[in-house]
């Protein structure tokens, strides 16, 4: 059966190209109950690749929702010690991490936003050390996706459920460069080489700032940190292991200077945050900080992001993507950031990636902050690219160079 083969290829890709499991390495798989077919195949593939022991941390979005609805907020804020110990244990073991994303967009739409906010802040605080470990590339980590009926029927509302699930699987395979008659591992080597070349071009140009403009009203200048590094595609962990954090990925991204974003950005895709779909929104920045914003739907959820902490009103990532890209060309709105962010120029509110500044992964956070690195408990990407996007870079000696014209890279 072709689909079984494709699933096996996707599992193998997550193991070999995603985390690149090393001999005798512990693997932690984070999965929801929606994803058990793929989780089983990834587990098997990881053992075959030489994993020492595999832990699967299961969760269920409906059970999580019941908890959010019924638990007292004090209980939600009291993170069990074993959960923190579990994270510490996996760090001590030198584990790598595979997350299987399979969202149910809008599931938490009716949950009290205050409770969600307090629960998520408590969790992020308790596990801040873990986030720092993973986002600092101290080990390999990756995210892959799995179809589920609730997600698929929202992405393909006109199809019967079973067909929608299949259609979403096939969109996932296609976006992840998994096909029956090619070797996905080789496909990714070729893809990474292209991204590497683009990163090099942008790094050599060493822009001071980027100017984004389109007809929707985006008119935004994003200053970049000095010694910024454009990245995208494969990365090296601090242990020297090559891995791919996102399957799929199309982006080339870098670190904005925390206090250097000015102007207005208008989102071009809805943002699914904590199970709520924020739609038709814009943000206005002054000296890096969001000073005005609005959303036609789920403004509360956007407010929650911005009010998380001192860093969540500033951006930590700016990413460039051609409008003419495989994910964008599917024309599908995936209602999930892993896919939608790869169809469109995007930025992230909150925490920056240390690797986006020279030697950042080996630099203490306090020194990074002085250079303009934004620190926050959250990192929330949202999309603002469009077919008519124009991006112009300004170099340190004042030259202006067009990077993206009518939505597509021209350099
Ligand atoms: Zn990104
Ligand atoms: Zn991001």
């Amino acid at each position: 059966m072709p689909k079984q083969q494709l699933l096996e290829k996707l599992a193998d890709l997550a193991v070999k190209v995603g985390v690149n499991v090393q001999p005798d390495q512990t693997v932690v798989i984070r999965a929801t109950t929606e994803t058990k077919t793929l989780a089983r195949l990834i587990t098997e593939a990881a053992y075959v690749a030489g994993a020492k022991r595999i832990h699967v941390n299961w969760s269920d979005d409906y059970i999580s929702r019941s908890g959010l609805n019924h638990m007292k907020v004090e209980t939600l804020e009291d993170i069990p010690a074993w959960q923190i110990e579990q994270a510490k244990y996996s760090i001590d073991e030198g584990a790598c991490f595979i997350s299987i994303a399979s969202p149910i967009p809008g599931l938490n739409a009716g949950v009290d936003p205050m409770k969600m906010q307090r629960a998520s802040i408590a969790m992020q605080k308790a596990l801040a050390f873990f986030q720092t470990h993973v986002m600092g590339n101290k080990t390999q980590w990756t995210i892959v996706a799995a179809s589920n009926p609730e997600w698929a029927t929202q992405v393909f509302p006109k199809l019967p459920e079973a067909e929608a699930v299949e259609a979403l699987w096939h969109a996932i395979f296609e976006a992840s460069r998994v096909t029956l008659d090619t070797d996905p591992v080789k496909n990714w080597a070729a893809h990474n080489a292209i991204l590497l070349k683009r990163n090099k071009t942008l790094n050599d140009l060493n822009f001071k700032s980027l100017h984004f403009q389109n007809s929707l009203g985006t008119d935004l200048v994003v200053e970049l940190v000095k010694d910024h590094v454009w990245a995208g595609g494969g990365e090296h962990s601090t242990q020297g292991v090559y891995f791919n954090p996102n399957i799929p990925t199309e982006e080339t991204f870098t670190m904005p200077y925390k206090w250097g974003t000015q102007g207005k950005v208008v989102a071009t895709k809805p943002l699914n945050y904590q199970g709520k779909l924020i739609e038709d929104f814009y943000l206005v920045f002054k000296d890096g900080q969001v000073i005005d914003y609005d959303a036609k739907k789920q403004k509360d959820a956007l407010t929650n992001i911005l009010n998380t902490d001192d860093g969540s009103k500033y951006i930590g990532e700016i990413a460039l993507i051609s409008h003419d890209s495989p994910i964008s060309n599917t024309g599908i709105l995936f209602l999930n950031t892993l896919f939608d962010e790869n169809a469109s120029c995007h930025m992230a509110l909150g925490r920056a990636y240390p690797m986006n500044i020279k030697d950042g992964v080996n630099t203490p956070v306090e020194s990074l902050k002085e250079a303009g690195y934004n620190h926050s408990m959250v990192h929330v990407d949202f999309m603002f690219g469009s077919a008519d996007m124009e991006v112009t870079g300004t170099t340190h000696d004042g030259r202006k160079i067009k990077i993206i014209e009518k939505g597509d890279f021209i350099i």
Side-chain angles (χ1 to χ4, degrees), residues 135 246 251 253 316-319 337 341 346-349 351 353 379-382:
M135 284 191 75
N246 285 2
E251 65 178 311
F253 62 100
E317 178 194 343
I318 183 78
T337 304
E341 74 167 1
H346 63 265
M347 60 174 72
L349 287 163
R351 184 178 48 231
Y353 290 98
H379 175 100
V380 183
D381 295 281
F382 68 91

Side-chain angles (χ1 to χ4, degrees), residues 336-397:
N336 178 258
T337 304
L338 178 64
F339 290 86
D340 292 331
E341 74 167 1
N342 281 303
S344 178
C345 287
H346 63 265
M347 60 174 72
L349 287 163
R351 184 178 48 231
Y353 290 98
M355 66 168 175
N356 282 134
I357 190 165
K358 251 174 222 154
D359 208 31
V361 290
N362 299 312
T363 307
V365 168
E366 289 313 311
S367 313
L368 288 175
K369 282 183 182 170
E370 282 166 27
Y373 157 92
N374 186 35
H375 199 63
S376 170
M377 288 184 288
V378 293
H379 175 100
V380 183
D381 295 281
F382 68 91
M383 285 56 81
F384 67 94
S386 62
D388 67 344
M389 180 59 75
E390 304 281 314
V391 185
T392 308
T394 302
T395 61
H396 284 271
D397 55 9

Side-chain angles (χ1 to χ4, degrees), residues 10 13-14 17-20 30 97-101 134-135 137 140-145 172 175-177 188 191-192 195 231-235 242-253 317 319 321 327 336-343 346 353 355 379 381 383:
L10 182 63
L13 186 71
V17 170
V19 284
N20 187 6
R30 290 180 286 190
F97 298 89
I98 301 175
S99 296
I100 309 176
V134 175
M135 284 191 75
N137 287 351
Q140 320 96 275
W141 55 280
T142 196
I143 311 176
V144 289
I172 290 169
S176 307
R177 296 178 156 75
W188 274 78
H191 180 48
N192 275 329
L195 290 170
E235 292 167 18
Y242 192 67
F243 71 102
N244 275 270
N246 285 2
I247 295 176
T249 190
E250 302 291 335
E251 65 178 311
T252 298
F253 62 100
E317 178 194 343
I321 289 142
I327 298 177
N336 178 258
T337 304
L338 178 64
F339 290 86
D340 292 331
E341 74 167 1
N342 281 303
H346 63 265
Y353 290 98
M355 66 168 175
H379 175 100
D381 295 281
M383 285 56 81

